[in-house]
Amino acid sequence: MSVTRPTAPFGTAIVTGASSGIGKVYADRLAQRGYDVLLVARREDRLRAIAADLQERFAIQADVLVADLSIAAGVAAVADRIADDPAVSMLINNAGFSALRPLAETPDEVIPRMIALNVTALTTLSKAALVAFTAKGAGTIVNVGSGAGFAPYPGIPVYGATKAYVYLFTRSLQNEAEGTHVRVQLLLPGAVVSEGWDVAGGGALERLPEAIVMTTEDCVDAALNGLDRQEAVTAPSLHDEALFHDYEAGSAALLQGMFDAKPADRYRLIR
Ligand SMILES: NC(=O)c1ccc[n+]([C@@H]2O[C@H](COP(=O)([O-])OP(=O)(O)OC[C@H]3O[C@@H](n4cnc5c(N)ncnc54)[C@H](OP(=O)(O)O)[C@@H]3O)[C@@H](O)[C@H]2O)c1
């Protein structure tokens, strides 16, 4: 007789980049909330240890999908799971990395790999989830951007731009999902203690004032609090919400102002 395990009431949350940092805490908190979890990253040993721990502590199902999301085959493996497994109810698009170097000193291979992970994988998986969740009338997508995506910041020319993409892409995705039962949350962490700073190199975390660096636990707890409060955009470190609203109002006005058949007066040719 085959014994079927009851499906978790919340379904399965896929967490990319679950082997450390923010993703690892997401996996922990979602398992605690009663989700089954599918942990995605490249380091299988870590994923298996985390999965075993979550199963033990929270009596949920924790599975592992070892995938390099900077290559198409890795992204396809996760997209297929989203399309084929009706239990999948949440996607945390968290995997990402940074390199703290000026462009001229950034190794050639790092650039396409960063764009592939931070931009292409996140976009492809968002689409897979949007399609699957729209078809079944429910689901949540969380895209992890960054405060670093709002203005040029020295030393992160490619990373900052990938996160600017995550911001604009996710805001557009939210427009597209309006009127469906698919929820899309944009998470904008500030500076968060994680191994990501070691990956980025340069010992930058140690040089930041303690007062501006958040723990991964506080970041994820605030993110889930924002999700519970139906927030579209959650910026855990941002105390003055007006700054974000003013930014968006300014960019909406700029968008309007950008389109006109006539060149602006300052470009009028003096003959
Ligand atoms: N820490 C911060 O201050 C901060 C601030 C704003 C935004 N963020 C964003 O938060 C997210 C998580 O970063 P974190 O700070 O938690 O860094 P982290 O501890 O380095 O975690 C990054 C995760 O992504 C996974 N990953 C990296 N490359 C991958 C690949 N090619 N394929 C699949 N998985 C890959 C890593 O696992 P494997 O190495 O095992 O593959 C790891 O699980 C990123 O999107 C980052 O940009 C971080």
Side-chain angles (χ1 to χ4, degrees):
M1 190 177 79
S2 71
V3 179
T4 326
R5 201 187 152 274
T7 316
F10 298 106
T12 301
I14 297 183
V15 182
T16 71
S19 62
S20 69
I22 293 170
K24 183 179 173 193
V25 178
Y26 257 118
D28 183 277
R29 299 302 198 254
L30 292 172
Q32 188 174 31
R33 285 178 174 221
Y35 284 86
D36 286 339
V37 288
L38 177 67
L39 312 178
V40 182
R42 295 166 302 176
R43 287 170 293 181
E44 182 171 5
D45 51 341
R46 285 203 183 201
L47 292 180
R48 293 214 176 279
I50 294 165
D53 174 59
L54 295 179
Q55 288 200 163
E56 162 107 23
R57 286 195 292 134
F58 302 118
I60 49 89
Q61 182 68 33
D63 292 329
V64 160
L65 200 169
V66 179
D68 182 343
L69 297 178
S70 67
I71 59 174
V75 178
V78 181
D80 287 351
R81 181 69 181 256
I82 294 169
D84 298 342
D85 183 349
V88 175
S89 59
M90 182 180 275
L91 169 68
I92 310 289
N93 251 326
N94 162 75
F97 79 99
S98 174
L100 263 163
R101 289 173 185 223
L103 185 63
E105 292 167 25
T106 305
D108 284 349
E109 69 84 19
V110 169
I111 297 168
R113 191 157 54 80
M114 189 184 298
I115 295 170
L117 180 64
N118 296 9
V119 171
T120 309
L122 177 135
T123 307
T124 306
L125 296 181
S126 292
K127 183 195 167 187
L130 179 68
V131 170
F133 296 166
T134 303
K136 67 179 180 191
T140 301
I141 302 168
V142 178
N143 284 349
V144 180
S146 169
F150 287 95
Y153 197 81
I156 48 168
V158 184
Y159 177 73
T162 66
K163 292 300 180 178
Y165 175 92
V166 174
Y167 162 73
L168 201 56
F169 167 73
T170 308
R171 293 302 267 157
S172 299
L173 179 63
Q174 289 171 335
N175 290 340
E176 189 170 337
E178 223 173 82
T180 72
H181 293 284
V182 182
R183 289 201 50 206
V184 181
Q185 183 196 29
L186 172 64
L187 175 65
L188 300 170
V192 177
V193 186
S194 79
E195 290 172 25
W197 291 88
D198 301 329
V199 175
L205 182 60
E206 291 70 34
R207 291 197 302 275
L208 290 180
E210 246 175 61
I212 69 157
V213 184
M214 189 174 274
T215 66
T216 40
E217 288 79 7
D218 279 352
C219 176
V220 174
D221 289 338
L224 289 171
N225 186 341
L227 191 67
D228 293 342
R229 295 168 51 207
Q230 312 287 320
E231 279 190 353
V233 180
T234 299
S237 298
L238 182 67
H239 291 256
D240 184 359
E241 284 183 79
L243 287 172
F244 182 77
H245 297 307
D246 291 351
Y247 175 90
E248 289 218 313
S251 49
L254 182 59
L255 178 73
Q256 289 295 320
M258 280 287 182
F259 298 90
D260 200 287
K262 289 198 305 297
D265 285 351
R266 66 186 173 283
Y267 302 121
R268 207 176 280 156
L269 295 176
I270 302 159
R271 296 176 201 276

